[in-house]
Every structure is written in structure tokens, then in C-alpha cells.
């Protein structure tokens, strides 16, 4: 089984920056597309950004220009660089990875989430 672990969240003032990491542990698998999602209290989970296996990226318009998703395939890690943070960005951030095991089995995994709190 594959486990995803997010890290890098914390408390930051408005205008500050954070870099979130999503690391996949396990063996005999490859990571396909990975998305970052967030969920604020009382709101639905929403997509933030997505990166394909080839490195192609897409962003929700409100995050474009502030957030950058990237990946380091050698480390099985995907990052979300968040700049110019706003209080509205406060949420639990999750990564979701589509993974193909070398056996041929394909599924998706969710991480446990990391809290991002932006103070005004």
C-alpha cells in the first residue's frame, strides 16, 4: 500500500509564504497525476492545482499567479508553493495522487491533510 504524507502547513501572516510537501512512501509504484485540494470549515473540498505525470500544471483562477505546483519524481514528492497568502486561504490542504502499482493496479490515495492558517 502507498501512503501520502503532507507537511509544511502552519500559521503565517497575510502576505507570507508557505511550501507544502506531499511525499509518497512505499515501493513498486509510479505516481501519475497529483492534485492539491483544500477544505475550509463549513465548506466543500475544492481543487487548488493539479500536475500531470509529465509536469503539465493547471490552477484554479483565484490561485493562479500566487500558487505553484511542482514535482520531484526522484523523491516521489509534489510541492505547493503558496505566496501572497490571504486569510481566505485558511484551510486544511490535502494531496490526492493517482498511482499505478507495478502489478498494474491503479487507484488514488489521499493524504491526511495539513493545516494552513493565515492571519490578517
Amino acid at each position: 500500500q502507498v501512503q501520502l504524507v503532507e507537511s509544511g502547513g502552519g500559521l503565517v501572516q497575510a502576505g507570507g509564504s508557505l511550501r507544502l510537501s506531499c511525499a509518497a512512501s512505499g515501493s513498486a509504484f509510479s505516481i501519475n497525476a497529483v492534485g492539491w485540494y483544500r477544505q475550509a470549515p463549513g465548506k466543500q473540498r475544492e481543487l487548488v492545482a493539479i500536475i500531470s505525470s509529465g509536469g503539465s500544471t493547471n490552477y484554479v483562477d483565484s490561485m493562479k499567479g500566487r500558487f505553484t505546483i511542482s514535482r520531484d519524481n526522484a523523491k516521489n514528492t509534489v510541492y505547493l508553493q503558496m505566496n501572497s497568502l490571504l486569510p481566505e486561504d485558511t484551510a486544511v490542504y490535502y494531496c490526492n495522487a493517482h498511482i499505478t502499482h507495478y502489478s498494474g493496479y491503479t487507484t488514488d490515495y489521499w493524504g491526511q491533510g495539513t493545516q494552513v492558517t493565515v492571519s490578517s
Side-chain angles (χ1 to χ4, degrees):
Q1 196 79 348
V2 175
Q3 183 178 12
L4 302 180
V5 178
E6 299 101 332
S7 61
L11 176 64
V12 64
Q13 292 184 349
S17 299
L18 288 172
R19 189 181 74 159
L20 307 183
S21 299
C22 174
S25 63
S27 62
F29 67 89
S30 62
I31 305 175
N32 304 315
V34 177
W36 280 99
Y37 296 76
R38 69 184 185 185
Q39 187 167 23
K43 294 186 176 292
Q44 294 184 352
R45 188 171 299 183
E46 64 175 344
L47 178 68
V48 174
I50 190 167
I51 186 166
S52 73
S53 60
S56 177
T57 60
N58 286 286
Y59 303 89
V60 175
D61 285 344
S62 61
M63 287 78 164
K64 191 175 298 183
R66 299 192 300 123
F67 292 4
T68 302
I69 188 171
S70 62
R71 65 192 297 162
D72 185 339
N73 290 335
K75 297 181 179 180
N76 283 338
T77 301
V78 174
Y79 305 95
L80 183 68
Q81 178 67 45
M82 305 187 295
N83 299 324
S84 302
L85 283 164
L86 303 169
E88 302 91 89
D89 296 319
T90 295
V92 178
Y93 284 71
Y94 302 88
C95 65
N96 176 270
H98 296 264
I99 288 177
T100 298
H101 296 265
Y102 291 170
S103 65
Y105 175 70
T106 301
T107 190
D108 68 296
Y109 294 83
W110 287 96
Q112 83 290 346
T114 185
Q115 177 71 48
V116 171
T117 302
V118 184
S119 62
S120 59

